[in-house]
Amino acid sequence: PDGSPVNLKLSPGSSTSLLLTWGETLLPNGVITNYTVKYWEASNKSEHGVEVNTDKKSIEIKDLKVYTRYTAIVRAFTVIGGGPWSDESKGLTGEGGKN
């Protein structure tokens, strides 16, 4: 793809999870086969992030720290390869005791 997924939204799921959703990929140049999601604690640098692959346009990120801000980005893939990373989305996990 020449473009990246748009409209990323990182929403609280629980005190230890976030739900990341995104929209269509701009300039897909083919059929999108899968996505790679990268996320990290906002206080850290992205090179320390965790990468997860999915074929859906949403993912629940689990086992996070309570009441902590996270940053996430997504890139789309076709059979030819991966496109550019999306803009960042930030979200905050919930406070403790709401699991």
Side-chain angles (χ1 to χ4, degrees):
D2 286 337
S4 58
V6 296
N7 300 326
L8 265 72
K9 185 174 182 188
L10 202 50
S11 309
S14 71
S15 60
T16 58
S17 70
L18 291 168
L19 179 63
L20 177 65
T21 58
W22 58 91
E24 296 300 320
T25 299
L26 300 178
L27 305 170
N29 291 341
V31 176
I32 301 300
T33 57
N34 65 293
Y35 300 91
T36 296
V37 173
K38 187 172 184 179
Y39 65 91
W40 61 92
E41 279 187 53
S43 61
N44 292 337
K45 297 199 181 326
S46 63
E47 59 263 21
H48 299 297
V50 176
E51 289 192 17
V52 180
N53 293 310
T54 181
D55 59 358
K56 298 177 175 51
K57 285 196 258 182
S58 66
I59 186 171
E60 185 178 12
I61 303 170
K62 298 179 179 180
D63 300 322
L64 302 175
K65 292 181 181 176
V66 173
Y67 202 64
T68 303
R69 186 168 299 282
Y70 285 86
T71 303
I73 53 178
V74 179
R75 66 190 289 212
F77 285 80
T78 65
V79 293
I80 304 297
W85 288 102
S86 67
D87 291 336
E88 294 180 351
S89 180
K90 295 187 185 303
L92 183 66
T93 54
E95 295 184 45
K98 296 184 189 173
N99 253 352

